[in-house]
Amino acid sequence: MSKITVIGTGYVGLVSGALLSDFGHQVICVDIDHEKINKLQQGEVPIYEPGLASIVEANCYYKRLSFTVSFKEAIETSKVIFIAVGTPAREDGKADVQAVLKAAKEIGTYINEYKIVVDKSTVPIGTGKKVKEIIEAVLKEREKQIPFDVVSNPEFLREGSAVHDFSHPDRVVLGTESKKALNVMKDVYGVLYLNETPFIETNLETAEMIKYASNAFLAMKITYVNEIADLCERVGANIQDVARAMGRDGRISPKFLHAGPGYGGSCFPKDTKALAQIAKENGISISLIDATIHANEKRKKSMAEKIQKAMGSVKGKKLAVLGITFKPNTDDMRESPSLTILPQLVQQGADLRIFDPKWEKEGKWRLEQIKDHIVFCQNEYEAMVGVDAIILLTEWNQFRNLEFNRMKELVHGKYFFDFRNIYQRKEVEQYGFQYYGVGC
Ligand code: UDX
C-alpha cells in the first residue's frame, strides 16, 4: 500500500482521494481553501456526489483518509503526490494552469526524498514537462538534488457517477518515461489492475493528449446527434429510434447519443475550447472541434427560440422549469444550458417557477441577474401551479414519472417541452398536453 497526497479537493481531487483510501492506501488531501478543509475535517463533504459522503466518513474513521492545509506535512509524508487542482478556461479559451504550476512549486519546496508527482488535472500538452522543470528549478534554488518522476494520469470520471466511474474505469492512462514510477502507479491502482482494467502505458504528452481527444470527441458526438435531431424534426423522423439504431452498430456505441439542449458542465465546454486553442497555437485547425463549439452555443440559444415559436410569444407567460443543473445527480450548474435558456426567456417577458432537487446550492447566485422573475419552488408540482407551459431541462429521475392527471389540474396552459426526450409523445398527449421533444 502506498502513502498518497492529493493536492486539490474539488470533484476530481476529493473523489480520487476518497476512493484511493478506499482501495486501502493512506491518503492525505491538501487544499489552500481553509474553510473547505475545516469542513472536511469535521466530516462535511462540500459537494453533492452520490455515495461519496459515506466513503469519506468510513475512511476517515479508519484513519486512512485525512485533510490538511499544510503542504509541508502533505508532501513530506507521501511517496505519490497527485495534482488535482482546477484548470478553468481563460477568456481566450486556453486552460488556466496557474494552480497546477503553483502546486509544482509547493512540491519543489517541500520534497525531501524520492517522490512520484502525478498530474490528474486536465492540462495542455507540455504541462507535465513544465511541472518537472519547475520542481527542478526550486530544487536548484534550495541547492538540493532529490530525485522525482512525473506521471500524467488523466481522470475520466463523470459528475453524478464519480464514485462508480473512479472504481470501474474503462481504462487507466499512465504517461511517464520512468519504469520505476510506472510500477508504483500500477500498485496504486492495484485493485483495478487485478480486475483486468486496461492500462495504457505511454509518454507524458500522449497521456495529456488522450484526455482532450476523448472529451472533445464525446462533445462532438453529442453535437452530431443534436444536429441530426434538428433534421429529424424537419423531415418527420424520430431521433430516439435513429440513435438507438445507430448505437447498435458496435463501431458507434449507444453511449452519448442522447439528443438534448446542448452539452454543459465543467469539462466539455472548457476542454473543447482548450483543444481548439492548443491546435491553433500549433498551426493546426481541428475544424470539427471549432464547429462543435459553435454548434453547441447555437443550440443552447435555439432552445428558448423553440419555446417562443411554439407558444407564439412568452411575453407575460408563466413557465415551470424542471431541472437547472447541467445533468442529474449533481448540484453543479457550470455551463448548464439553463444559464443560456432561462435569461433569454425572461428577456422575452416570461416569469419562471423553478424546481430542481439541488437548486439551493447554486440556483440563486447563478441566476442572480433574472432573480426578480423567478420563484424557486419546493417540488415539481408547486412549480406547475398556474403556468402556461412546463419545460423539462434536466432528466432527474423524479421527473421520469410525473403524474399528468394531477398536473392537468395545476397548469393553466398545456405546453410540455421535454428537452431530454424522457417521455413519449403519445403518453403525454393523452392528457391533453401539447408535446415538444427534441428531434421527435
Ligand atoms: C465529462 C466526461 O464524460 C468525463 O469523462 C470527463 O472526465 C469530464 O467531463 P461530466 O461533465 O461530469 O463528464 O458529465 P457527462 O455525463 O459526460 O455530461 C456532459 C454533458 O453532456 C451534460 O450536459 C449532459 O447532459 C450532456 N450529454 C451527455 C448529452 O446531452 N447527451 C448525451 O448523450 C450525454
Side-chain angles (χ1 to χ4, degrees), residues 250-267:
R251 294 168 301 177
I252 297 175
S253 114
K255 293 181 184 163
F256 282 71
L257 275 186
H258 301 290
Y263 61 78
S266 64
C267 290

Side-chain angles (χ1 to χ4, degrees), residues 36-319:
K36 208 188 228 183
I37 291 296
N38 218 343
K39 280 187 180 160
L40 283 162
Q41 282 169 337
Q42 285 161 31
E44 204 182 308
V45 174
I47 50 170
Y48 173 70
E49 185 59 44
L52 182 60
S54 57
I55 292 175
V56 170
E57 190 188 349
N59 287 286
C60 286
Y61 177 80
Y62 289 114
K63 305 214 178 311
R64 283 195 296 258
L65 179 63
S66 62
F67 302 94
T68 182
V69 288
S70 164
F71 280 84
K72 184 174 189 304
E73 177 198 355
I75 292 163
E76 282 180 353
T77 50
S78 295
K79 180 165 180 188
V80 181
I81 303 168
F82 280 87
I83 302 179
V85 295
T87 50
R90 299 188 334 189
E91 276 287 299
D92 60 1
K94 265 180 151 176
D96 183 345
V97 293
Q98 275 187 60
V100 174
L101 305 184
K102 220 173 136 216
K105 268 193 193 148
E106 299 278 10
I107 296 170
T109 308
Y110 297 115
I111 183 170
N112 52 342
E113 55 188 4
Y114 175 73
K115 310 271 176 198
I116 297 167
V117 179
V118 188
D119 178 45
K120 225 182 210 325
S121 305
T122 304
V123 290
I125 297 95
T127 307
K129 222 174 171 182
K130 267 193 208 154
V131 164
K132 192 167 177 226
E133 286 162 7
I134 288 176
I135 299 173
E136 276 166 354
V138 182
L139 279 172
K140 204 168 166 202
E141 270 171 41
R142 288 173 60 198
E143 296 179 358
K144 289 260 157 80
Q145 276 191 330
I146 301 169
F148 70 95
D149 284 308
V150 177
V151 177
S152 166
N153 169 224
E155 182 50 58
F156 300 94
L157 60 80
R158 291 161 299 169
E159 288 182 25
S161 51
V163 169
H164 175 270
D165 290 353
F166 191 91
S167 44
H168 301 82
D170 290 331
R171 74 299 207 189
V172 171
V173 175
L174 297 171
T176 182
E177 321 300 329
S178 156
K179 209 76 218 122
K180 184 175 171 187
L182 196 62
N183 286 334
V184 175
M185 290 309 291
K186 282 185 184 168
D187 178 54
V188 166
Y189 286 113
V191 181
L192 305 178
Y193 203 62
L194 298 173
N195 281 351
E196 297 190 12
T197 302
F199 278 55
I200 314 289
E201 302 170 12
T202 185
N203 63 20
L204 265 179
E205 288 74 14
T206 309
E208 290 169 340
M209 187 69 203
I210 288 168
K211 176 66 192 269
Y212 280 116
S214 302
N215 269 4
F217 183 85
L218 292 170
M220 185 177 76
K221 192 174 179 188
I222 298 167
T223 305
Y224 176 76
V225 88
N226 281 342
E227 294 203 317
I228 295 291
D230 283 345
L231 185 57
C232 283
E233 262 174 47
R234 290 285 167 89
V235 299
N238 183 313
I239 190 64
Q240 298 286 83
D241 293 343
V242 170
R244 210 168 53 239
M246 281 172 67
R248 297 298 293 183
D249 186 325
R251 294 168 301 177
I252 297 175
S253 114
K255 293 181 184 163
F256 282 71
L257 275 186
H258 301 290
Y263 61 78
S266 64
C267 290
F268 289 170
K270 156 175 97 68
D271 294 350
T272 43
K273 286 178 199 146
L275 181 60
Q277 278 297 329
I278 295 167
K280 209 166 133 194
E281 278 169 15
N282 284 281
I284 286 180
S285 146
I286 309 182
S287 56
L288 287 174
I289 298 310
D290 295 336
T292 297
I293 296 166
H294 175 71
N296 195 59
E297 284 306 316
K298 205 171 95 195
R299 177 157 202 86
K300 289 193 282 182
K301 288 192 185 124
S302 74
M303 291 294 114
E305 285 155 20
K306 191 172 169 152
I307 295 167
Q308 287 185 73
K309 198 167 156 215
M311 297 180 71
S313 159
V314 294
K315 196 163 195 271
K317 297 279 179 357
K318 252 193 226 165
L319 311 174

Side-chain angles (χ1 to χ4, degrees), residues 415-427:
Y415 295 95
F416 188 86
F417 297 94
D418 173 11
F419 286 167
R420 295 291 182 170
N421 287 347
I422 63 176
Y423 286 97
Q424 303 279 341
R425 175 181 299 280
K426 269 196 201 141
E427 196 184 350

